[in-house]
Amino acid sequence: MKLLDPRRFGLVCAAVAVTAGLTVAGCANRVDGVANPNAADLAAYKSDAVASSAAATSSRKAAAQAQAISENCAQFPTTTGVGVKAYNDFVDAHDSNAADYAAKRDGAAQTLDDAANKVEAGMNSVAGGALPDDLASKFSAYISAARLLAEETRKMTYTAPVGGLNEASKQVNDARTAVKDACPKR
């Protein structure tokens, strides 16, 4: 027989360790009471957590707003410029009694509607409510004015009075200028 059989020696060591652990655990004293956090530390932690959350929310909101402003303002001149060009082509055709007058009238009206729809889509889907109220109201004013000008353009014939058309054109120009002035300069 061997004196130090590795299996028996391991089993004896494990038994001694379990016995020692049970003895130490049995000798321990219980501490009476209820575990409570330090009230001052808890209040400070909660305050820091709220401030951190508010800062993160504010930062996300500011980033979303900056992106909405940038994207909507960047596309606005191009989108609305197409409508301006089509409308001016129609006015030239009207003033010169051009043969393609009706086609240019209908094209201008459709282009103005398309521009209003694109600006509105940018406000709703791209910005998703992140635009500042003042700028959003300027975009909305342009949308309404462009649709009104499209409507007045469709009504035009060679003999129709131009008062409504001129007023609607002025509204589009004013609304377009207001948006351009409110957008950050590039």
Side-chain angles (χ1 to χ4, degrees), residues 83-84 86-87 90 102 104-117 142-156 164-172:
V84 168
Y87 177 76
F90 154 68
K104 290 203 175 184
R105 175 195 62 210
D106 296 342
Q110 186 59 52
T111 304
L112 288 163
D113 277 335
D114 290 346
N117 291 338
Y142 168 79
I143 293 165
S144 296
R147 288 182 176 147
L148 176 63
L149 182 57
E151 181 182 318
E152 290 296 324
T153 300
R154 283 187 181 91
K155 294 178 187 176
M156 288 307 300
L165 184 70
N166 288 339
E167 181 56 35
S169 176
K170 180 182 178 326
Q171 286 180 23
V172 164

Side-chain angles (χ1 to χ4, degrees), residues 15-30:
V16 169
V18 168
T19 304
L22 289 173
T23 302
V24 170
C27 293
N29 289 330
R30 276 185 68 128

Side-chain angles (χ1 to χ4, degrees), residues 41-57:
D41 288 346
L42 179 61
Y45 171 79
K46 284 182 178 180
S47 176
D48 287 349
V50 167
S52 177
S53 176
T57 299

Side-chain angles (χ1 to χ4, degrees), residues 83-175:
V84 168
K85 181 178 179 340
Y87 177 76
N88 287 339
D89 290 347
F90 154 68
V91 170
D92 289 344
H94 180 272
D95 291 348
S96 65
N97 293 326
D100 62 350
Y101 166 80
K104 290 203 175 184
R105 175 195 62 210
D106 296 342
Q110 186 59 52
T111 304
L112 288 163
D113 277 335
D114 290 346
N117 291 338
K118 286 179 184 176
V119 171
E120 185 174 49
M123 282 182 59
N124 294 335
S125 65
V126 174
L131 285 172
D133 291 340
D134 183 51
L135 185 57
S137 70
K138 287 178 177 30
F139 278 114
S140 294
Y142 168 79
I143 293 165
S144 296
R147 288 182 176 147
L148 176 63
L149 182 57
E151 181 182 318
E152 290 296 324
T153 300
R154 283 187 181 91
K155 294 178 187 176
M156 288 307 300
T157 64
Y158 281 118
T159 59
V162 294
L165 184 70
N166 288 339
E167 181 56 35
S169 176
K170 180 182 178 326
Q171 286 180 23
V172 164
N173 288 335
D174 291 347

